Amino acid sequence: MNAILSTSISVTRQAPETIGRAYKTIFARMSTISAGGTDEEDGATLTSYTEKMGKLGVNVLDANNKLRDMGDVIEEIGGKWGTFSKEQ
């Protein structure tokens, strides 16, 4: 997590508090979805989240159809970030 935070702060030049808040929100939303809930902000469910991330080439579920570790998902997205369009 330290590497993710350090890289995000370095690349975006955003304040550490801003980056920390962003990741806190991301992880909270992923936790809500993984627990079978629906994200209150955009109505995302595990199914819709899985489908959208799959279109980006990121598999968010493990072999047992459980949500992968959030840090691993973030790292995979980071590795593919340069291939995404602005809209993605």
Side-chain angles (χ1 to χ4, degrees):
M1 191 64 211
N2 286 335
I4 291 171
L5 288 171
S6 296
T7 301
S8 297
I9 291 166
S10 173
V11 170
T12 65
R13 306 277 190 231
Q14 294 291 319
E17 299 82 16
T18 302
I19 298 296
R21 212 173 11 260
Y23 279 113
K24 179 181 172 185
T25 301
I26 291 167
F27 291 153
R29 292 177 75 184
M30 288 174 73
S31 292
T32 297
I33 290 169
S34 69
T38 300
D39 183 71
E40 293 178 14
E41 190 170 321
D42 67 0
T45 63
L46 183 56
T47 301
S48 66
Y49 170 63
T50 302
E51 289 172 357
K52 288 177 184 178
M53 295 303 289
K55 289 179 183 177
L56 296 175
V58 178
N59 188 2
V60 297
L61 301 178
D62 64 16
N64 298 317
N65 280 334
K66 301 291 183 189
L67 197 62
R68 290 176 45 210
D69 180 77
M70 293 177 216
D72 292 342
V73 173
I74 294 293
E75 285 185 29
E76 185 175 346
I77 292 168
K80 296 179 179 191
W81 193 259
T83 66
F84 296 155
S85 69
K86 186 174 181 177
E87 291 76 24
Q88 290 173 311

